[in-house]
């Protein structure tokens, strides 16, 4: 909330707060990062997981392990 980010990498499964909740808080907070692109990083690549990421406010989903070239292109695409 104190620093603006050009891109946020969001782990979906974190120990204290999951990525869905964290994303919703970022989006709903109207803070300096409320419009920052958020890229979900998770080992779960099923359609339901992808949909849940997007519904929570993440811009894109990338399954781990990922190809570095795919990550690079995804970052370029999100930078617009």
């Amino acid at each position: 909330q104190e620093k603006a980010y050009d891109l946020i990498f969001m782990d979906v499964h974190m120990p204290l707060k999951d990525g869905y909740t964290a994303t919703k808080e970022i989006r709903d907070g109207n803070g300096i990062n409320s419009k920052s692109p958020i890229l979900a990083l998770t080992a779960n690549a099923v359609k339901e997981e992808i949909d849940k990421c997007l519904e929570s406010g993440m811009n894109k989903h990338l399954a781990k392990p990922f190809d570095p070239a795919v990550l690079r292109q995804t970052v370029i695409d999100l930078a617009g």
Side-chain angles (χ1 to χ4, degrees):
Q1 294 178 351
E2 297 175 11
K3 182 178 178 186
Y5 293 97
D6 296 324
L7 174 63
I8 299 169
F9 291 95
M10 184 64 70
D11 190 351
V12 173
H13 302 287
M14 299 182 289
L16 299 177
K17 183 183 296 188
D18 65 55
Y20 315 110
T21 302
T23 297
K24 288 177 185 174
E25 288 177 3
I26 291 169
R27 295 295 187 226
D28 293 343
N30 294 321
I32 58 177
N33 292 300
S34 64
K35 302 291 184 201
S36 297
I38 300 176
L39 175 58
L41 297 174
T42 178
N44 196 345
V46 296
K47 183 180 180 340
E48 292 80 17
E49 178 76 17
I50 296 168
D51 291 345
K52 190 172 179 180
C53 289
L54 299 176
E55 288 168 6
S56 73
M58 298 178 204
N59 299 84
K60 190 86 174 160
H61 173 279
L62 192 58
K64 299 185 280 187
F66 50 81
D67 180 330
V70 173
L71 173 62
R72 181 179 188 278
Q73 187 59 54
T74 302
V75 169
I76 289 168
D77 293 346
L78 287 172

